[in-house]
């Protein structure tokens, strides 16, 4: 999207300093639709994927199975465009608020979280913790 402006170098440095990647150099990246708040996918990013995403505004992930960068939408045309990025309190996960061209999931589903199971009551959750 043409209106993307890469963040200032100081903001990028602050973001990178807050990260605590795992021993493979990866952090979890949760993509969320910036308009609806719907959770779209969970993927992984390394430093190079983060750098490319911030530089271009098009979300790039790291594929653990293929061991290479993956520009979301490169083959499907369903690009994700960065609108906001936040780091969780532990520094091991990113929340990417994105605009998008189409479905998030490789199956064609709107979100990768389309399989719903029986609801758990609040009492069940408390008992399990």
């Amino acid at each position: 999207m043409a209106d993307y402006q890469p963040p200032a170098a100081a903001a990028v440095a602050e973001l990178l300093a807050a990260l605590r990647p795992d021993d493979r150099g990866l952090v979890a990246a949760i993509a969320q639709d910036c308009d609806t708040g719907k959770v779209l996918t969970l993927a992984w990013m390394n430093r190079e994927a983060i750098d490319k995403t911030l530089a271009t505004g098009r979300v790039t992930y790291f594929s653990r199975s293929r061991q290479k960068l993956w520009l979301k939408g490169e083959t499907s045309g369903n690009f994700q465009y960065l609108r906001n990025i936040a780091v969780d309190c532990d520094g091991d996960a990113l929340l990417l608020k994105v605009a998008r061209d189409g479905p998030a999931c490789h199956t064609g589903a709107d979100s990768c979280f389309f399989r719903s199971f029986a609801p758990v009551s609040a009492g069940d959750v408390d008992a399990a913790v």
Side-chain angles (χ1 to χ4, degrees):
M1 297 194 151
D3 59 343
Y4 180 77
Q5 294 294 320
V12 172
E14 186 177 350
L15 169 75
L16 295 173
L19 290 178
R20 302 289 176 258
D22 67 13
D23 58 351
R24 297 167 293 172
L26 301 175
V27 293
I30 301 162
Q32 181 181 34
D33 187 293
C34 66
D35 293 325
T36 67
K38 183 179 216 169
V39 174
L40 302 174
T41 194
L42 168 69
W44 299 91
M45 296 178 97
N46 62 7
R47 170 69 187 268
E48 188 179 3
I50 294 167
D51 288 344
K52 282 192 176 288
T53 297
L54 294 174
T56 66
R58 286 185 173 189
V59 178
T60 299
Y61 298 109
F62 180 79
S63 171
R64 295 181 302 167
S65 61
R66 293 175 290 183
Q67 291 293 297
K68 67 178 193 171
L69 294 184
W70 153 50
L71 172 63
K72 174 62 178 139
E74 188 171 38
T75 56
S76 67
N78 300 323
F79 292 96
Q80 293 179 349
Y81 304 96
L82 186 66
R83 292 293 176 254
N84 186 280
I85 188 167
V87 181
D88 80 330
C89 59
D90 295 324
D92 60 1
L94 294 168
L95 177 61
L96 310 173
K97 292 195 178 182
V98 302
R100 58 192 173 125
D101 286 335
C105 188
H106 72 280
T107 66
D110 191 48
S111 165
C112 292
F113 296 93
F114 61 87
R115 295 184 289 178
S116 183
F117 296 90
V120 178
S121 72
D124 291 341
V125 172
D126 292 339
V129 175

